[in-house]
Amino acid sequence: MKARLRLCVLISGNGSNLQSIINAIESGSLSAEVTAVISNNPEAYGLQRAKNHGIPSRIISHLDYPQRKDFDTALVNQIKAEGADVVVLAGFMRILDSDFIQAFAGRILNIHPSLLPKYKGLNTFQRAIENGDSEHGVSIHLVTAELDDGPLLMQESYPILPTDTIEDLQQKGHALEHQMYPALLQSLAEKQLVIRDDGIYFKHQILDRPLTLNDVSLD
Ligand code: GRF
């Protein structure tokens, strides 16, 4: 049997991206397993989603660690104990320190609701509407020590209509996110997408633009 990609998924809230990953695994379109779900927020609904599917979940609350460094160390140790090829940030609302990044260098992914490098940080929908943008989007990137920085792996955009509210954009974004994360992870599982110290490759070519769903759509 082909080895499955081992994912440790970090969440802070609803976990709809986690759900899309679980669904893709259960339907057989994503060759992976979620070794554990870790949340810094004990109230995160994503913990219930993990439970519903028999996936181990852990709570590591930042409130229990007055020093940021100690929180990051606890996370690193837990992820190592779970075993993971890829650390998947899916709505994880804490900034990770450089020791964390180093511990899993080249193996941490994040999904962000904007067309990075535009709109790093929070409230991206509101900022796009306020600026009168005609489009917005979703990015998946490798995590580096800078917030919402790091090489872009996948990007999709959608139009902003004059009548669109923040909730409308959230909905459009989520619909894309739920296709993007499973598809990108499957391309890693299949080793179409390869992240190495000397560069990021897609089908043996250096990745010179973010992938789109067309490049990696699930079967
Ligand atoms: C997503 O919109 C993602 O882009 C951002 O946080 C949100 C998480 O949503 N990083 P969910 O918890 O997966 O539903």
Side-chain angles (χ1 to χ4, degrees), residues 11-20 46 49 89-93 110-114 125 138-139 148 170 173-174 177-178 181:
I11 61 165
S12 298
N14 181 23
S16 68
N17 278 284
L18 166 68
Q19 187 72 56
S20 73
R49 296 182 190 268
L89 306 187
F92 185 67
M93 301 303 285
N110 185 40
I111 193 159
H112 182 76
S114 81
F125 305 112
V138 177
S139 305
D148 297 329
Q170 251 162 1
H174 263 132
E177 290 184 7
H178 298 160
Y181 239 159

Side-chain angles (χ1 to χ4, degrees), residues 5 19 86 181 193:
L5 199 65
Q19 187 72 56
V86 181
Y181 239 159
L193 180 63

Side-chain angles (χ1 to χ4, degrees), residues 59-219:
I59 296 162
I60 300 185
S61 170
H62 55 285
L63 300 176
D64 294 337
Y65 299 88
Q67 305 284 339
R68 170 187 290 273
K69 203 173 172 9
D70 296 336
F71 171 68
D72 284 57
T73 304
L75 270 182
V76 168
N77 291 341
Q78 190 66 47
I79 295 169
K80 285 188 172 163
E82 307 298 351
D85 302 310
V86 181
V87 180
V88 179
L89 306 187
F92 185 67
M93 301 303 285
R94 305 299 299 172
I95 295 175
L96 298 162
D97 73 6
S98 57
D99 286 347
F100 183 99
I101 312 290
Q102 256 170 31
F104 307 106
R107 299 195 284 135
I108 313 167
L109 305 184
N110 185 40
I111 193 159
H112 182 76
S114 81
L115 293 170
L116 291 172
K118 223 173 172 183
Y119 303 131
K120 298 175 181 182
L122 298 175
N123 305 321
T124 70
F125 305 112
Q126 189 181 334
R127 287 150 73 197
I129 290 174
E130 279 170 8
N131 286 339
D133 291 1
S134 59
E135 63 167 11
H136 201 54
V138 177
S139 305
I140 298 177
H141 64 97
L142 262 186
V143 175
T144 58
E146 300 301 319
L147 176 68
D148 297 329
D149 209 350
L152 289 172
L153 300 177
M154 189 184 238
Q155 211 161 47
E156 281 288 340
S157 62
Y158 55 84
I160 302 181
L161 307 179
T163 52
D164 275 345
T165 61
I166 291 177
E167 289 71 32
D168 293 329
L169 299 195
Q170 251 162 1
Q171 243 175 39
K172 293 186 202 186
H174 263 132
L176 281 171
E177 290 184 7
H178 298 160
Q179 299 174 63
M180 289 168 69
Y181 239 159
L184 185 94
L185 291 167
Q186 177 62 9
S187 74
L188 279 173
E190 288 174 349
K191 298 197 166 46
Q192 286 196 322
L193 180 63
V194 174
I195 299 167
R196 296 201 316 231
D197 286 349
D198 67 331
I200 301 172
Y201 297 83
F202 184 66
K203 296 186 176 170
H204 308 290
Q205 308 286 327
I206 279 277
L207 186 70
D208 54 6
R209 59 162 178 86
L211 297 169
T212 66
L213 280 170
N214 272 340
D215 295 313
V216 297
S217 271
L218 295 178
D219 295 335

Side-chain angles (χ1 to χ4, degrees), residues 8-30:
C8 188
V9 183
L10 272 54
I11 61 165
S12 298
N14 181 23
S16 68
N17 278 284
L18 166 68
Q19 187 72 56
S20 73
I21 291 167
I22 295 171
N23 293 349
I25 292 172
E26 291 189 349
S27 74
S29 54
L30 171 56

